[in-house]
Amino acid sequence: GSSSYTRDMQIAEKLTAVLALLMEDAWSSEKSPSGSGHKQLSVMEVKNYIDEHYGEKLSLDELSKIFFINKHYLARIFKERYGVTINGYIAQVRITRAKSLLRFSEKSIEEIGGEVGIPDPNYFARTFKRIEGMAPRDYRRQW
């Protein structure tokens, strides 16, 4: 009846999802002979690392050591791939997280700056204003 049809559709949906994941994994782990696939994979790993470790001390020098990539090469391929410098991306990630904390927490602006990896309150305020066009306090008031 209709329950077996529904069950069959659910099974088909899950199998399709598993197949898609397997194909994606196989595709992303392939290394192209020219090295371009490896380059993109490395840059994506760097971006993912920044996304997860934005609260820590991050710099182009640090990242080049962690990923064993020449810093000038890393800077160039990151900019090519994402259209922003590594330092610009780090700042964007930090400020995006800070905006969320400003809206949804009662933490002080100084605490938020420290949590997102910008412990100097003045530098945090300047960076926030450069990216968002307003001071952190004004942003919080607006929300």
Side-chain angles (χ1 to χ4, degrees), residues 49-120:
Y49 184 87
I50 293 168
D51 291 342
E52 292 174 21
H53 296 89
Y54 63 86
E56 301 168 18
K57 181 177 182 259
L58 288 177
S59 68
L60 180 57
D61 287 333
E62 296 283 326
L63 293 168
S64 68
K65 287 176 190 168
I66 292 167
F67 289 94
F68 305 104
I69 301 174
N70 175 284
K71 70 179 184 177
H72 302 292
Y73 177 70
L74 176 58
R76 186 170 53 83
I77 62 173
F78 192 94
K79 173 94 178 181
E80 282 174 13
R81 176 81 187 266
Y82 297 108
V84 63
T85 65
I86 285 183
N87 288 333
Y89 183 73
I90 292 169
Q92 286 175 357
V93 170
R94 287 174 169 167
I95 297 306
T96 299
R97 178 66 180 136
K99 286 166 48 181
S100 176
L101 290 169
L102 286 165
R103 282 190 298 227
F104 303 115
S105 81
E106 297 298 319
K107 294 179 179 179
S108 72
I109 290 171
E110 291 75 21
E111 284 178 290
I112 292 172
E115 191 171 316
V116 301
I118 311 174
D120 177 339

